[in-house]
Amino acid sequence: MAMMEIKERGLIATGKFKNFVQYLEGFHFVYNAVLSRRSNVFDSPYSSFARKLRKCQTREQVDKCIEDLKNKLNKEYPPYNDFKNKFIHLKYSKQDTPDNLKVKYIINKIYCYFTNGKEEIFPDNGSVEHILPESFGEMALNIGNLILLEINLNNVASHLPYNEKRDNYYLKSNYDWVKNFVSNHLEWTEDDIFARAEKMANIYYHEILGKE
């Protein structure tokens, strides 16, 4: 609310406003959704931030206020290894599971990453695809076995072995991520899943979130 008031007062540019909101989104997704850490430790810093922000009279004061909060949050930012160790064990199933919503969010964020900035909004014609079908068992549910695929292709490809999916359906996809995947994977087995999960964790943390 304080940020919205500042924006309405013309004390922050739209680009900076958007970047800060995205920073908060990324921080809390990692901290709360992926690592399941308690968020009440931020009650006091956020209350203090809102009070200081409302007192700002210039853009420079707003910038300083935002940087001060980010510096505090950065001290609490989970390191990559903590994030990766949780990330690579995330699972998605067509049955309800505790991870489903967060994994769907991650898959859509990585989809946007592979558009090289052309798309920031999640596509409404995409669905989470298990590269090896769910029928392969527990390993097939792992995030390293997932990709975003057009719904119409997913519906007909879902239970097929990878070579048939690749040749008959994935190659028809318009998604840059799918094109990248098929160009790098002539074959796909369970042994590839954890290695890809780690690559996805690296992309999410270092590229999407922009963390060192």
Side-chain angles (χ1 to χ4, degrees):
M1 293 297 294
M3 284 294 296
M4 290 300 298
E5 290 176 23
I6 289 299
K7 189 173 186 303
E8 289 172 1
R9 288 165 56 192
L11 293 179
I12 187 170
T14 299
K16 286 187 176 181
F17 178 86
K18 175 184 172 183
N19 289 340
F20 182 56
V21 170
Q22 289 177 330
Y23 170 85
L24 293 177
E25 173 195 8
F27 173 82
H28 283 289
F29 184 75
V30 171
Y31 192 94
N32 300 118
V34 178
L35 274 80
S36 302
R37 295 182 179 176
R38 295 169 56 190
S39 59
N40 59 0
V41 297
F42 302 111
D43 290 349
S44 178
Y46 279 146
S47 295
S48 176
F49 169 73
R51 288 193 298 270
K52 291 178 181 177
L53 197 63
R54 288 188 170 101
K55 293 178 181 178
C56 291
Q57 299 298 320
T58 67
R59 290 194 171 199
E60 289 75 18
Q61 290 174 341
V62 170
D63 290 345
K64 175 68 164 54
C65 198
I66 288 173
E67 285 306 308
D68 287 346
L69 178 63
K70 288 177 68 174
N71 287 337
K72 290 178 182 178
L73 296 182
N74 283 337
K75 292 177 182 177
E76 303 295 332
Y77 219 109
Y80 174 66
N81 282 338
D82 289 358
F83 169 77
K84 182 192 73 173
N85 290 338
K86 288 287 188 179
F87 184 101
I88 63 175
H89 294 290
L90 291 172
K91 296 176 183 178
Y92 183 90
S93 172
K94 290 185 171 63
Q95 306 299 318
D96 285 336
T97 72
D99 286 346
N100 273 4
L101 283 177
K102 66 184 78 172
V103 171
K104 187 174 182 180
Y105 175 87
I106 290 168
I107 294 301
N108 276 277
K109 291 287 281 189
I110 297 178
Y111 161 87
C112 291
Y113 165 79
F114 273 95
T115 69
N116 293 313
K118 291 183 292 185
E119 296 181 43
E120 293 184 337
I121 298 174
F122 297 168
D124 56 11
N125 69 335
S127 63
V128 178
E129 153 76 349
H130 292 83
I131 302 166
L132 290 182
E134 284 194 65
S135 58
F136 269 67
E138 193 74 11
M139 181 62 80
L141 306 182
N142 184 272
I143 194 167
N145 188 51
L146 306 177
I147 199 165
L148 199 74
L149 186 65
E150 290 93 335
I151 294 172
N152 62 314
L153 296 177
N154 198 347
N155 287 341
V156 290
S158 60
H159 300 299
L160 297 175
Y162 175 68
N163 63 329
E164 291 186 41
K165 286 186 178 189
R166 182 185 186 280
D167 294 344
N168 298 319
Y169 300 105
Y170 287 7
L171 288 173
K172 296 178 181 178
S173 176
N174 291 315
Y175 289 174
D176 292 334
W177 189 13
V178 178
K179 292 176 182 178
N180 177 278
F181 180 83
V182 297
S183 69
N184 287 292
H185 297 94
L186 295 177
E187 298 180 349
W188 184 252
T189 69
E190 286 190 11
D191 293 337
D192 299 311
I193 292 175
F194 264 130
R196 182 168 178 265
E198 290 197 9
K199 289 180 180 178
M200 291 166 69
N202 184 68
I203 287 172
Y204 199 94
Y205 192 88
H206 296 300
E207 303 298 332
I208 295 174
L209 297 176
K211 300 300 295 179
E212 296 293 334

